[in-house]
Amino acid sequence: MIKKASLQFSLLLLLTFFAISTSYAIEPNKLTCQYAAEQVIINDMSPHFGWQLTSKQKGDKQTAFQLLVASEPEILKEGLSDYWDSNKILTSQSQHIAYAGKPLQYKSRYYWKMRVWNAQNELSSWSETKYFDTALSPNDWTALWIGAISHQDAKLPSGRNFHTPGLNPQLAQLWDSVVPLAKRSILLRKDFTAASGIKHARVYVCGLGHYELSLNGKKVGDSEFSPLWSEYDKTVYYNMYDITHELNMGANTFGVILGNGMYNVAGGRYTKFRVSFGPPTLLLQTFIEYKDGTKEMIVSDRSWKYTPSAISFNCILGGEDYDANLEQVGWDNIGFTDNSWSSVVLQDAPRGKLLAQTAPPIKISETYSVKTVAEPLQGIQVFDMGQNIAGFPSLKVQGKKGQKVRMLVGEVLKDGLVDQSKSGGPHYYEYTLKGGLVEEWKPRFAYYGFQYIQIEGVDWKKDSSKGSKPLLVDLNAHFVHSSAPATGSFESSNEIFNRTHFLIDKSTRSNMQSVLTDCPHREKLGWLEETHLNAPGLFFNYDLSRYFPKIQRDMQDAQTADGLVPDIAPEYVIFDGGFRDSPEWGSAAVINPWNYYTWYGDQSLLHTSYPTMKRYADYLTSKAKDNILSHGLGDWYDYGPHSAGVSRNTPIEITATGHYYYVVKILSQTAKILHYDSDAADYSLLAENIRCSFNKHLFNQETQQYGSGSQCSNALPLFLDIVEPQNRKAVLDNLLADIKAKGMRLSTGDVGNRYLYQALATNDQNETMFKLHNHYEVPGYGFQIKMGVTTLTEQWDPRNGDSWNHFMMGQIEEWFFKTLLGINPDETKPGFQHFIIKPQPVGDLSFVKGHYDSLYGRIESDWKIEKKEFVLRVNIPINSSASIVLPSNKIESLLIDGQRNSPLVDIVGLVENKIHLELSSGEYIFKVKR
């Protein structure tokens, strides 16, 4: 017994030693290349890497790293590399690590791993092995663009002047003359064989407008509406898929369905505009590498065949029809006989440069089932899906051959019926049954903003389909949007604020498509003011590290020869006046790269955007008189007794010139960072001249007011720091007086909201901000909640607005995160490796909690008020640090994790009558008397 116990004890010691010896103090995780963790493809042959860290030690950090890049994973297993061994690099930087190895090759895969040393010089284990793929070079493409009809034969009009409302008969006739095949969805297929011993197989595909690719009868990938929309004359995106494990040894079949998308908006039903870059077209190239070193290519060429698909109508603006009787079973699988199919037509390539799509694809994120059913008229049923979304319905139905089910979708009802009068109609989905068993269908190439689905002449979930009507077995609504990951959360003791956050999130995601659209139904256009005015809220809530560079490229592609950045990008239709040229919109091309730099600490967008930024600033200068601009839309949709539209409360000179100043100021700062010293000096001087002119021409010394004295007139110069120091108090007092005179209600609109909110927040007027929004009256978010909407609407009063799914008024998110949660970037140290947490209790709030997932990890702020104590819990990611500002001056009452002091917390003292602390990574709880 003694020997047995001794043996067990020895074994326990051995296991304990082994566990200790293999347990590392710090560990790398969440590895990214070009900010992507999976399915990484890069256009730039100089990628950057990043990782997060976990540690058992509070206050731990990285002091060095080593990174290996190799052409094969087996090389890394030996701790070796054949492309880059960084060796031990002494740095705390764990993001934006630039590749510095041998030149990378196009259409290649590379593998990498890394390890770090911590504050005690302890070495981590090696990370998991990750990989990235490089894009194709222009010379790698041997595939041909193929389809059903050439551009010349299609008779598709060219140009961007087809704004459908008011389109004259001559122009309308051009579209009526388009050959029907040019608008038709088609199927394409190709049989091929693969030998045994496949090592790698990757397919590169671009189907315009949108495509769905299948291999041996199974869809490849899980995205919708690929590739992303673009300015097709400048940029065309393709997607890459790894099909190594999907290929058969022997026979295989590629199948592709093509739809129109934004590439070919030829009309039919509802159209806001028409534009065409050509008929549906396909480019596909597959590289197969075998274990014996041989290689093979499968490309789109004359050998492919096509036929019209069962999708008899598809338009991104008008909807989609499907006739199941036109289906060809097994068409995309092995062994199908395609003798009746036609040989493809070679087509002209789009003008744009082919680039791998690096922005996140569009995917289905949520699926909603029927919440309630009503029958407002006999035989017409309206299904409430419970949530307004951007997406499409799907159905399961059983009935007789030739019966049709039409789904009319919409976000509002009138007399109980779906009403599309304000969201663009008709837009619907129609399915024609083939008869027999239960049939399933969902659209592929159209989506809409809707909560309700109206269907006429069906039985809903009855026991039998023997009646004269089709039996609707099931009905769902699918929410589709960019798959950019969520990064933030917000919750408080105030239900108005919680519900407001919910509404903004749902409407933002609804409009986070290939571009940041204004609405998911009527226009689907990328109006640019939303991208910068809502930017802080967007960045807190979503990972936009790969999405915003795509939005920026859209603006670069849309910029005109004279430097104008139009209000929409891509510019699929050319509008008139301020709807094309408004400084509050075009300035996004300058402001967004700066926001990107602030959030991610990444200068790359500043570098690539600098020529665009400079040309736009110079364009505004060419339009200015004595440094004052007076054109554009101004504070769009400002609130008052007037109809919403172009600014009525605030002179356009205020917002136009204010953004001119903002643009030039950012440009001067960017030039300094990029070491364009001469530009930095010139634009800094210009910014000061604009500021002086703004005060000279737009400020009334007697009244101490700007412009009309509206809330936007005074808030914008306060926030942009245009106001002379000696006038700031008077201007702020006038702003507060106007708010009070309006019964603690706002009068700003799309543009002015952000400047009003932040002028109040940055001038310690958060109690006023609280009162502005803590009510259920109009104007305010609470009134929308009272109206029962499930997404943010276009106007403060939903009853007056056209769209019930707009995120443009969602600028309060910045206040939720920066002021209530208190999470702020440190603009002197961009990228959140160091940041500031400065929560502000206001009103009757008893708690606020939330988080932001930064590049370095999760930042948490969670505070509550207990009796007369303020309690704050924070989490600071490993390898980062924070400044904490507590809303109290009673420093003698401060407890840190229950103690008076902490070795990881530097108590700076009282600054501006608030407690300031500096701390390293880890979780902390602070208590202080109020």
Side-chain angles (χ1 to χ4, degrees):
M1 291 294 293
I2 296 175
K3 288 183 179 180
K4 185 176 180 180
S6 178
L7 180 62
Q8 290 175 336
F9 181 70
S10 298
L11 181 60
L12 179 62
L13 283 176
L14 181 62
L15 291 173
T16 302
F17 173 77
F18 180 79
I20 292 173
S21 66
T22 57
S23 178
Y24 297 88
I26 195 168
E27 290 291 332
N29 59 81
K30 295 188 178 179
L31 278 65
T32 60
C33 175
Q34 300 293 85
Y35 298 119
E38 306 294 340
Q39 299 177 334
V40 185
I41 185 167
I42 63 170
N43 291 297
D44 186 350
M45 295 297 112
S46 301
H48 61 77
F49 305 93
W51 52 85
Q52 294 180 13
L53 297 166
T54 57
S55 176
K56 299 176 181 178
Q57 302 296 323
K58 206 170 182 177
D60 208 354
K61 63 181 179 179
Q62 171 188 304
T63 57
F65 75 87
Q66 181 183 13
L67 192 150
L68 304 178
V69 179
S71 58
E72 298 291 345
E74 291 75 20
I75 297 174
L76 293 181
K77 289 179 181 178
E78 304 299 324
L80 303 173
S81 66
D82 59 345
Y83 267 80
W84 186 35
D85 182 349
S86 71
N87 295 308
K88 185 177 182 180
I89 295 180
L90 299 174
T91 179
S92 64
Q93 193 65 39
S94 55
Q95 296 290 335
H96 317 302
I97 305 301
Y99 176 78
K102 290 166 51 178
L104 300 174
Q105 306 300 309
Y106 287 103
K107 69 173 188 297
S108 300
R109 175 165 291 180
Y110 297 93
Y111 301 84
W112 66 286
K113 66 179 183 179
M114 44 70 59
R115 57 184 180 177
V116 301
W117 284 261
N118 73 355
Q120 287 74 42
N121 202 35
E122 297 170 321
L123 182 61
S124 75
S125 63
W126 284 107
S127 70
E128 63 176 322
T129 296
K130 306 286 284 186
Y131 67 82
F132 62 91
D133 289 287
T134 55
L136 302 186
S137 76
N139 295 328
D140 288 326
W141 286 102
T142 60
L144 301 175
W145 291 93
I146 61 174
I149 188 171
S150 69
H151 200 159
Q152 294 82 357
D153 292 339
K155 297 184 180 179
L156 285 162
S158 60
R160 313 291 178 91
N161 59 329
F162 301 107
H163 185 202
T164 307
L167 193 65
N168 68 57
Q170 291 78 16
L171 292 178
Q173 180 60 39
L174 292 176
W175 292 97
D176 293 339
S177 301
V178 172
V179 175
L181 184 57
K183 300 183 284 186
R184 195 71 157 79
S185 168
I186 60 172
L187 308 177
L188 302 104
R189 71 183 310 276
K190 169 70 176 179
D191 294 323
F192 64 98
T193 58
S196 61
I198 297 170
K199 182 180 179 182
H200 298 300
R202 291 184 279 278
V203 58
Y204 304 80
V205 59
C206 177
L208 300 174
H210 296 306
Y211 71 89
E212 185 175 295
L213 172 68
S214 61
L215 175 60
N216 302 326
K218 295 182 179 179
K219 181 179 176 179
V220 177
D222 59 353
S223 63
E224 307 288 334
F225 306 116
S226 291
L228 300 181
W229 309 337
S230 61
E231 170 55 71
Y232 299 103
D233 283 342
K234 301 287 183 64
T235 301
V236 175
Y237 295 109
Y238 66 87
N239 305 106
M240 186 211 75
Y241 304 96
D242 189 323
I243 55 172
T244 304
H245 302 294
E246 285 69 40
L247 273 181
N248 293 329
M249 180 182 66
N252 292 274
T253 300
F254 274 134
V256 176
I257 311 175
L258 289 183
N260 291 309
M262 280 292 185
Y263 184 74
N264 189 36
V265 187
R269 299 180 193 166
Y270 170 72
T271 50
K272 169 73 174 178
F273 58 90
R274 294 181 182 179
V275 64
S276 180
F277 299 85
T281 186
L282 172 70
L283 183 74
L284 181 146
Q285 188 150 323
T286 304
F287 294 91
I288 305 174
E289 182 180 351
Y290 297 98
K291 293 177 182 177
D292 63 5
T294 59
K295 298 179 180 179
E296 185 177 6
M297 280 199 305
I298 310 298
V299 301
S300 53
D301 57 18
R302 293 179 185 272
S303 65
W304 286 60
K305 288 190 171 184
Y306 87 90
T307 195
S309 80
I311 301 171
S312 55
F313 173 83
N314 75 102
C315 178
I316 197 73
L317 296 177
E320 186 167 323
D321 295 345
Y322 188 91
D323 187 345
N325 298 286
L326 300 178
E327 288 179 348
Q328 300 190 42
V329 179
W331 70 272
D332 57 350
N333 218 329
I334 304 160
F336 178 80
T337 301
D338 59 10
N339 294 339
S340 63
W341 289 37
S342 304
S343 297
V344 295
V345 173
L346 297 187
Q347 296 172 315
D348 294 333
R351 296 177 183 176
K353 180 180 179 180
L354 269 173
L355 289 176
Q357 178 185 307
T358 56
I362 308 300
K363 294 185 179 183
I364 296 174
S365 68
E366 299 171 53
T367 295
Y368 294 87
S369 57
V370 175
K371 185 176 180 181
T372 62
V373 185
E375 191 169 1
L377 293 176
Q378 186 174 0
I380 298 178
Q381 297 179 83
V382 176
F383 301 84
D384 183 353
M385 311 309 289
Q387 174 62 50
N388 198 7
I389 61 168
F392 45 73
S394 68
L395 56 72
K396 291 182 181 179
V397 64
Q398 188 174 22
K400 299 175 183 178
K401 180 177 180 178
Q403 288 183 319
K404 298 178 185 293
V405 177
R406 177 178 293 186
M407 296 176 283
L408 184 69
V409 293
E411 60 182 6
V412 297
L413 302 177
K414 184 177 182 180
D415 299 326
L417 299 173
V418 165
D419 180 15
Q420 294 182 342
S421 62
K422 293 185 177 181
S423 57
H427 181 112
Y428 59 84
Y429 306 94
E430 186 171 273
Y431 181 79
T432 303
L433 282 73
K434 57 188 172 185
L437 301 176
V438 174
E439 305 172 40
E440 299 182 31
W441 178 70
K442 73 174 182 65
R444 286 183 170 91
F445 301 124
Y447 78 94
Y448 201 72
F450 70 98
Q451 179 173 333
Y452 305 98
I453 306 172
Q454 178 177 310
I455 304 177
E456 183 174 357
V458 297
D459 287 329
W460 169 240
K461 285 191 173 182
K462 290 192 175 181
D463 296 331
S464 172
S465 61
K466 294 179 181 179
S468 60
K469 299 178 181 179
L471 173 66
L472 189 58
V473 178
D474 198 11
L475 184 67
N476 289 288
H478 303 279
F479 193 4
V480 295
H481 55 81
S482 170
S483 54
T487 56
S489 69
F490 171 84
E491 184 183 353
S492 75
S493 59
N494 186 295
E495 279 308 304
I496 291 178
F497 294 169
N498 295 341
R499 188 64 187 175
T500 297
H501 173 69
F502 175 88
L503 296 181
I504 295 171
D505 175 63
K506 290 295 186 184
S507 57
T508 301
R509 287 198 283 151
S510 292
N511 288 287
M512 196 180 290
Q513 304 294 332
S514 292
V515 299
L516 276 165
T517 60
D518 59 328
C519 58
H521 32 62
R522 187 179 69 239
E523 295 186 359
K524 298 184 173 76
L525 293 172
W527 292 94
L528 297 178
E529 94 291 1
E530 296 174 307
T531 67
H532 75 85
L533 292 168
N534 290 276
L538 291 169
F539 280 113
F540 272 122
N541 282 294
Y542 316 101
D543 178 357
L544 303 179
S545 57
R546 292 184 293 145
Y547 186 72
F548 253 54
K550 191 271 177 190
I551 302 299
Q552 189 67 18
R553 187 176 186 95
D554 290 337
M555 288 186 269
Q556 293 169 347
D557 287 349
Q559 189 172 37
T560 62
D562 62 357
L564 165 68
V565 175
D567 291 7
I568 58 171
E571 194 178 23
Y572 295 131
V573 57
I574 296 176
F575 293 121
D576 297 324
F579 293 103
R580 191 185 196 212
D581 182 8
S582 193
E584 305 87 351
W585 275 247
S587 59
V590 177
I591 300 170
N592 282 342
W594 185 259
N595 286 330
Y596 189 86
Y597 168 64
T598 300
W599 238 258
Y600 300 120
D602 184 352
Q603 296 182 11
S604 63
L605 211 56
L606 294 178
H607 279 281
T608 58
S609 302
Y610 189 77
T612 298
M613 298 165 70
K614 185 174 178 180
R615 287 173 58 213
Y616 184 64
D618 292 346
Y619 171 80
L620 294 181
T621 298
S622 74
K623 297 292 182 181
K625 294 182 180 179
D626 196 13
N627 299 314
I628 300 296
L629 289 176
S630 56
H631 70 281
L633 300 175
D635 188 14
W636 178 250
Y637 267 47
D638 54 4
Y639 184 77
H642 54 271
S643 298
V646 176
S647 179
R648 298 281 291 276
N649 297 332
T650 303
I652 286 175
E653 290 83 357
I654 291 287
T655 55
T657 309
H659 282 83
Y660 177 33
Y661 170 76
Y662 200 8
V663 161
V664 174
K665 184 178 179 180
I666 287 174
L667 185 59
S668 68
Q669 294 170 316
T670 301
K672 183 177 181 181
I673 290 170
L674 301 182
H675 304 294
Y676 300 134
D677 296 338
S678 178
D679 279 359
D682 291 345
Y683 287 109
S684 178
L685 178 60
L686 177 58
E688 179 59 19
N689 289 339
I690 297 169
R691 192 185 72 82
C692 292
S693 293
F694 193 103
N695 285 315
K696 176 183 176 182
H697 295 287
L698 303 177
F699 181 64
N700 187 320
Q701 288 285 353
E702 292 183 7
T703 64
Q704 296 285 287
Q705 306 250 36
Y706 284 89
S708 61
S710 68
Q711 292 172 15
C712 179
S713 292
N714 287 324
L716 184 143
L718 278 170
F719 177 72
L720 294 180
D721 206 22
I722 292 173
V723 184
E724 296 289 358
Q726 66 272 21
N727 298 326
R728 285 191 66 87
K729 184 179 184 304
V731 174
L732 178 61
D733 287 346
N734 280 322
L735 172 61
L736 297 174
D738 185 86
I739 293 171
K740 186 176 181 180
K742 289 182 169 59
M744 302 307 292
R745 299 293 180 262
L746 57 78
S747 63
T748 48
D750 178 21
V751 174
N753 287 340
R754 191 206 174 202
Y755 301 112
L756 173 63
Y757 299 171
Q758 289 307 301
L760 294 174
T762 56
N763 286 279
D764 294 325
Q765 300 299 319
N766 288 297
E767 292 297 336
T768 297
M769 183 67 180
F770 180 84
K771 292 174 184 177
L772 270 180
H773 298 292
N774 186 39
H775 61 84
Y776 289 97
E777 299 174 7
V778 64
Y781 301 102
F783 184 75
Q784 301 203 7
I785 296 166
K786 182 180 177 180
M787 288 287 296
V789 300
T790 61
T791 47
L792 193 64
T793 69
E794 185 177 17
Q795 287 198 36
W796 287 118
D797 188 338
R799 297 167 297 184
N800 297 332
D802 289 343
S803 169
W804 280 31
N805 199 340
H806 254 65
F807 78 100
M808 72 180 187
M809 297 291 198
Q811 300 96 331
I812 197 173
E813 286 289 295
E814 184 175 7
W815 188 66
F816 288 164
F817 279 85
K818 282 188 173 182
T819 301
L820 299 189
L821 279 175
I823 302 174
N824 288 266
D826 183 347
E827 293 188 1
T828 67
K829 300 174 182 177
F832 278 93
Q833 192 166 19
H834 181 270
F835 52 91
I836 302 160
I837 296 183
K838 186 180 179 181
Q840 179 64 56
V842 292
D844 60 358
L845 288 175
S846 60
F847 78 86
V848 173
K849 60 182 178 180
H851 77 270
Y852 167 59
D853 291 329
S854 74
L855 292 181
Y856 296 91
R858 177 159 293 188
I859 300 168
E860 292 180 282
S861 175
D862 178 353
W863 63 261
K864 58 186 176 181
I865 296 173
E866 294 181 337
K867 297 180 180 178
K868 294 185 178 181
E869 279 190 326
F870 179 81
V871 182
L872 171 67
R873 183 186 68 84
V874 299
N875 184 69
I876 314 302
I878 298 297
N879 207 39
S880 60
S881 59
S883 301
I884 307 294
V885 180
L886 298 176
S888 170
N889 61 2
K890 298 178 180 178
I891 196 168
E892 70 283 354
S893 68
L894 176 65
L895 293 177
I896 306 169
D897 295 333
Q899 306 294 320
R900 290 294 181 188
N901 294 289
S902 168
L904 298 175
V905 178
D906 178 16
I907 303 175
V908 177
L910 292 179
V911 179
E912 295 181 349
N913 213 33
K914 292 183 178 180
I915 300 170
H916 282 238
L917 313 169
E918 297 289 336
L919 57 152
S920 303
S921 61
E923 184 176 316
Y924 303 83
I925 295 177
F926 302 98
K927 288 186 179 183
V928 66
K929 293 191 178 195
R930 301 189 69 196

